[in-house]
Amino acid sequence: MTEKKMIVAGMALVAGLSAFTASAQVRLKGEGNIDEVISAMTVEEKVHMVLGTGMAGPDATFPGTAGSTYPIERLGIPAVYLADGPHQLWMNSRREFDSKTYYTTEYPTSLTLSATWNRELASKMGKGLGEEVRDYGLDVLLAPGLNLVRNPLGGRAHEYFSEDPVLGGKMAAAYVNGLQSTGAGACIKHFVANNQETNRTGNDAQVSERALRELYLKSFEIAVKEAQPWTLMTSYGIVNGTYTPESHFLCTEVLRDEWGYDGVVMSDWNAGKDAVASMKAGNNMMQPGQERQYKAILAAVKNGELSEDILDANVREVLRLVCRSLTFNGREITNAPDLKAHAADARVIGGEGAVLLQNDGVLPFAPSVKNVALYGIASYDIISGGMGFGGVNISPFTVSLVEGLRNGGYNVDKTVQKAYSAHIQAETRRIFPHGKPPFSLVPLQRPDELVLAAEPLAAAAGQNDVAIITLGRKMGEASDLMSRQFNLTEGERKMIEAVSEAYHAAGKKVVVILNLSCALETASWKGQADAVLCAFQGGEQIGNSITDVLSGKVNPSGKLPVTFAVNYGDAPADKNFPHDIEPVMDFSALFGMKENQEKKDPVRNVDYTVYEESIYVGYRYFDTFGKEVSFPFGFGLSYTTFGYEIISSAIDGDRCELKVKVTNTGKVAGKDVVQLYVSAPKGKLEKPTKELKAFGKTALLAPGESEVLTIGWNVMDMASFNEKTSAWELAKGTYQWHVCSSSAKVEATATQKIAKERTM
Ligand code: BGC
């Protein structure tokens, strides 16, 4: 049993098969006889169907997985198995009385994936995960996470894609399409505005409908329309006063009526307060299912508060999921996914998701670079991903930075390595005098930085060709980072200073690697580094992926999926975020097992958070208000250069299309991302200076080679939501279509006229 399950074991729903009725011959055959099966169910069975099997559910079959739907044997309804993602299929690697290990691949984080801006890679990652779900006998991966990265300290930012809904939505859609191509189902989550982890089961996100529609809902809308995920998970939180699973507006009006969503809506684990309200809202299934929910729904049907038709409608959706599932349709459980191939894909994604932020020419390393010295705790304790219910999957492939560099043919200075090993051991003893806790949700305290004295630094600088410093930040579910973690520690500052001084004095270069969950303060120290490579968190192949970029085997083509601000506090969202609140771990509150009491004096940013910035999140703010950033959204350097020429631009009915010729004008092969931003004419509604509407990525272009990218989007994608009229409005006038290499760099512009205002 995983720790999470132990935590909630007391809440487990004892699922017993209830009354057998006379219609025992009826069996679920497929979507065609769902209504017949529903008619043959007792009310009790129907209530069971809209709940999972409790935390203890799939444990015996698939230890470590998250839950399942409720099986009813007499009606031929099997359990459909749900397991966590988004970066790895979460399942215990060991099972009782079984000598086999059930390894799963740890892919890069979603934010790293997003930094590739490469939909093919997103599809590949989804496909690899889906194959593991399929081959290990499961049905649905509870992934991907799709909330907007509103703030760099958000505890689950690494599980999400971007501060921009178009980048996030398109990458997620590709991931879902890849995943579902294997026969497994996806689950986009946590719908919606789940932008902080502090008091996640009681926080009310107070957000304008315009911001909700244009930003927070938008990424889900894109994923729903472009990929039709089989399932969607509502969040733990409250949006504008209503728990998301209890919101008819969100679960039915927006999702189904407006977007045409066609799958199951399920709650997050133990989320929501009122199961009956959730049934009415169109949240079809409560996971993992609690006894109190069972009793409440049953009583409500019996006393007429909940019509049986509504219950039936929810049951119908769950049964449709069952009919789609691999378990229902039969598949061979091979227990042998191609982990080697998936590891190779993870390596490519990690390399392509690395963003080169600064480079004076030291990268790629010249052939003469052979000896490297590594500094910084994270160089020896690299962070492959975020925290969560970790520790159950040990990947056989995890490649450290030291190993990666050695695999790449570099000698890693052993004296420096020894000093760090001793330091890390001593620090670990100091921080955990009674041994490391076996499980933690909050990222564990990491060792303080080691600042080596001038003498050993000078000696190492004499013997090595280059210094590599790694700075790391880890985050995880259920807590947010604090603003001080956006900044460097005193130790990190001193280390950068001391290492740079020693190496520069010896005429050697210093490369800083950022091993991050999200953005970090870079403005104050980047001038001391000769190159800065943001590798984010590249999963089990991280050491190889970073080395591929350092050595030039991979020419970096990653672009930032989030802005790197100069200071925490520069973005207007920063002040409306629990950035100075120490995380408190109250497990029953975290997992919604405790009723939230109405508070007399609600605390700002804990009990409620006002999204005062409205639509001005990320670059939409910095760009519009001319505020300086350290590295803008969409930014990333290459070892080559590119030229851009707009070949054509047109609006044909509802479709906008731009063709751009991208030419590799440099000396080495490389890929490039074209970002298409639109500046709208002045209309009734105030708009950001420009907004990303579409993007494309070239193939690997040889020096001198060109590729024409066709970039398309819908004309109404350029509209804004008018709260007064409750409609999307496209102002008439001249639109500028900017071909950009980042949100701050326009390379070429086309103009197009919209003659008549349009609404939708
Ligand atoms: C998380 C979900 C996850 C679920 C099942 C919850 O605590 O918020 O993302 O899918 O647990 O493990």
Side-chain angles (χ1 to χ4, degrees):
M1 210 193 258
T2 61
E3 280 73 3
K4 182 178 187 185
K5 288 182 176 177
M6 283 192 260
I7 294 163
V8 295
M11 304 304 299
L13 175 68
V14 184
L17 292 180
S18 60
F20 280 66
T21 64
S23 49
Q25 309 326 339
V26 176
R27 293 186 70 79
L28 183 64
K29 295 194 199 104
E31 292 219 18
N33 83 325
I34 286 180
D35 285 339
E36 188 192 5
V37 171
I38 294 177
S39 314
M41 280 180 174
T42 63
V43 178
E44 287 78 5
E45 283 171 333
K46 289 180 186 177
V47 180
H48 275 306
M49 276 316 296
V50 295
L51 302 171
T53 44
M55 289 305 290
D59 222 40
T61 328
F62 301 113
T65 54
S68 73
T69 61
Y70 190 85
I72 304 179
E73 219 178 295
R74 74 175 186 95
L75 296 173
I77 304 171
V80 162
Y81 295 101
L82 320 169
D84 262 313
H87 313 134
Q88 182 168 19
L89 163 57
W90 286 107
M91 180 174 89
N92 286 5
S93 49
R94 301 306 303 262
R95 295 179 184 174
E96 269 181 35
F97 312 115
D98 188 345
S99 57
K100 190 176 156 54
T101 38
Y102 297 81
Y103 289 129
T104 62
T105 306
E106 186 192 3
Y107 283 92
T109 62
S110 301
L111 204 78
T112 316
L113 173 65
S114 198
T116 68
W117 295 61
N118 185 337
R119 276 171 275 200
E120 267 170 46
L121 291 182
S123 164
K124 216 172 228 181
M125 177 161 151
K127 185 160 178 278
L129 286 159
E131 285 167 1
E132 295 185 17
V133 168
R134 181 193 66 200
D135 296 348
Y136 281 129
L138 298 151
D139 295 292
V140 174
L141 190 75
L142 301 171
L146 190 43
N147 287 107
L148 205 77
V149 180
R150 172 175 178 258
N151 189 287
L153 307 176
R156 299 186 88 166
H158 65 289
E159 285 190 60
Y160 300 147
F161 287 94
S162 174
E163 69 185 31
D164 182 89
V166 172
L167 176 58
K170 301 259 175 202
M171 293 299 283
Y175 176 120
V176 171
N177 280 324
L179 201 158
Q180 296 194 158
S181 73
T182 64
C187 177
I188 52 174
K189 64 186 188 183
H190 310 86
F191 186 70
V192 60
N194 190 171
N195 304 109
Q196 71 180 61
E197 289 296 289
T198 304
N199 190 24
R200 68 176 180 179
T201 57
N203 178 265
D204 182 7
Q206 299 180 2
V207 49
S208 71
E209 190 175 347
R210 177 169 180 199
L212 198 58
R213 294 220 178 235
E214 292 187 14
L215 301 181
Y216 300 98
L217 286 169
K218 196 47 136 186
S219 44
F220 284 95
E221 181 182 353
I222 294 170
V224 163
K225 290 184 173 166
E226 294 189 6
Q228 280 293 350
W230 291 4
T231 71
L232 170 145
M233 189 189 293
T234 45
S235 70
Y236 279 121
I238 303 165
V239 174
N240 295 328
T242 309
Y243 275 100
T244 57
E246 294 161 23
S247 167
H248 191 265
F249 169 68
L250 292 172
C251 297
T252 298
E253 290 160 49
V254 170
L255 195 54
R256 292 193 191 277
D257 302 347
E258 290 184 25
W259 302 347
Y261 179 63
D262 183 32
V264 164
V265 178
M266 72 173 95
S267 73
D268 200 340
W269 265 230
N270 294 309
K273 225 173 152 176
D274 183 343
V276 175
S278 302
M279 288 293 104
K280 290 182 184 166
N283 187 108
N284 312 120
M285 177 166 61
M286 308 298 291
Q287 276 290 349
Q290 300 177 36
E291 200 170 353
R292 70 174 158 111
Q293 294 169 330
Y294 175 82
K295 285 185 179 154
I297 298 174
L298 190 60
V301 177
K302 293 208 161 152
N303 69 23
E305 191 202 330
L306 178 67
S307 88
E308 204 164 333
D309 285 352
I310 292 184
L311 182 61
D312 288 355
N314 289 311
V315 170
R316 192 170 293 115
E317 291 304 334
V318 179
L319 288 179
R320 287 186 60 237
L321 172 66
V322 172
C323 293
R324 284 170 146 178
S325 71
L326 285 162
T327 294
F328 183 78
N329 293 301
R331 74 20 244 270
E332 195 197 345
I333 300 177
T334 64
N335 284 328
D338 192 345
L339 297 176
K340 283 227 165 82
H342 297 172
D345 290 345
R347 178 174 182 164
V348 170
I349 296 166
E352 205 162 315
V355 184
L356 183 63
L357 295 176
Q358 186 174 293
N359 185 19
D360 74 347
V362 56
L363 294 180
F365 288 148
S368 57
V369 172
K370 284 278 165 252
N371 302 317
V372 299
L374 305 189
Y375 300 91
I377 304 291
S379 281
Y380 300 95
D381 184 15
I382 198 98
I383 305 166
S384 58
M387 293 289 282
F389 299 101
V392 287
N393 284 306
I394 302 144
S395 162
F397 300 113
T398 303
V399 179
S400 70
L401 182 58
V402 175
E403 278 174 291
L405 286 163
R406 289 197 178 127
N407 292 344
Y410 297 99
N411 305 315
V412 175
D413 188 306
K414 289 203 170 106
T415 313
V416 180
Q417 185 179 2
K418 246 184 171 166
Y420 270 90
S421 298
H423 173 74
I424 291 172
Q425 271 175 30
E427 280 288 284
T428 308
R429 277 196 301 273
R430 176 182 70 81
I431 301 168
F432 307 107
H434 309 298
K436 273 195 186 185
F439 176 74
S440 168
L441 276 174
V442 185
L444 296 177
Q445 189 184 338
R446 288 174 68 81
D448 284 351
E449 267 310 341
L450 170 65
V451 186
L452 289 168
E455 216 171 274
L457 274 175
Q463 281 156 20
N464 289 289
D465 303 313
V466 74
I468 295 175
I469 299 174
T470 309
L471 301 175
R473 288 293 179 278
K474 195 163 180 143
M475 61 171 56
E477 179 174 343
S479 69
D480 296 304
L481 296 190
M482 297 180 67
S483 52
R484 63 165 189 265
Q485 290 159 296
F486 181 78
N487 297 324
L488 266 47
T489 63
E490 229 9 69
E492 286 172 330
R493 285 186 188 287
K494 285 190 180 142
M495 167 183 65
I496 295 177
E497 218 168 274
V499 171
S500 309
E501 243 176 63
Y503 278 77
H504 290 158
K508 309 279 173 67
K509 304 277 187 176
V510 177
V511 176
V512 174
I513 292 168
L514 300 179
N515 177 205
L516 304 176
S517 325
C518 196
L520 183 79
E521 188 277 309
T522 47
S524 69
W525 56 266
K526 65 186 180 189
Q528 294 170 64
D530 301 294
V532 179
L533 177 70
C534 178
F536 291 111
Q537 290 168 350
E540 64 183 38
Q541 291 290 315
I542 185 164
N544 283 335
S545 299
I546 292 175
T547 306
D548 288 344
V549 176
L550 297 178
S551 66
K553 188 170 168 199
V554 167
N555 184 351
S557 61
K559 306 277 174 185
L560 288 180
V562 289
T563 303
F564 276 44
V566 173
N567 294 302
Y568 185 83
D570 286 354
D574 290 355
K575 72 173 190 302
N576 290 307
F577 189 83
H579 59 87
D580 55 0
I581 293 167
E582 293 283 351
V584 187
M585 286 293 112
D586 172 350
F587 287 110
S588 53
L590 278 174
F591 296 110
M593 293 177 292
K594 200 158 92 180
E595 289 267 335
N596 267 295
Q597 307 296 328
E598 295 296 326
K599 282 208 188 158
K600 266 214 214 95
D601 300 306
V603 180
R604 199 181 170 99
N605 296 340
V606 175
D607 298 307
Y608 67 99
T609 301
V610 188
Y611 287 35
E612 272 178 328
E613 73 286 352
S614 185
I615 53 168
Y616 293 108
V617 174
Y619 74 87
R620 283 172 167 75
Y621 168 74
F622 293 107
D623 196 30
T624 305
F625 296 94
K627 181 103 183 164
E628 193 194 336
V629 297
S630 187
F631 296 110
F633 172 82
F635 177 77
L637 300 169
S638 164
Y639 297 150
T640 187
T641 48
F642 294 95
Y644 307 85
E645 187 196 336
I646 294 176
I647 306 288
S648 67
S649 74
I651 301 179
D652 183 5
D654 285 343
R655 186 174 157 82
C656 300
E657 195 180 272
L658 180 136
K659 285 188 199 296
V660 55
K661 185 168 157 194
V662 184
T663 306
N664 183 345
T665 51
K667 294 198 173 65
V668 288
K671 296 183 183 178
D672 193 31
V673 174
V674 167
Q675 304 167 38
L676 194 290
Y677 295 79
V678 171
S679 294
K682 222 174 147 38
K684 272 182 266 168
L685 297 170
E686 153 189 347
K687 303 247 273 186
T689 299
K690 58 181 180 310
E691 293 182 285
L692 185 76
K693 294 299 165 196
F695 59 92
K697 190 156 192 175
T698 67
L700 188 73
L701 300 178
E705 198 184 345
S706 300
E707 180 178 339
V708 175
L709 289 177
T710 302
I711 297 179
W713 66 100
N714 191 292
V715 75
M716 287 307 279
D717 292 344
M718 303 188 297
S720 295
F721 189 79
N722 189 339
E723 289 174 4
K724 285 202 188 114
T725 55
S726 243
W728 290 90
E729 291 179 0
L730 182 73
K732 64 174 188 207
T734 304
Y735 283 74
Q736 289 178 309
W737 294 358
H738 303 295
V739 168
C740 297
S741 52
S742 82
S743 59
K745 182 100 201 294
V746 175
E747 302 283 353
T749 300
T751 54
Q752 281 292 332
K753 272 213 169 76
I754 298 283
K756 251 177 76 191
E757 187 183 306
R758 289 201 207 181
T759 55
M760 182 173 78

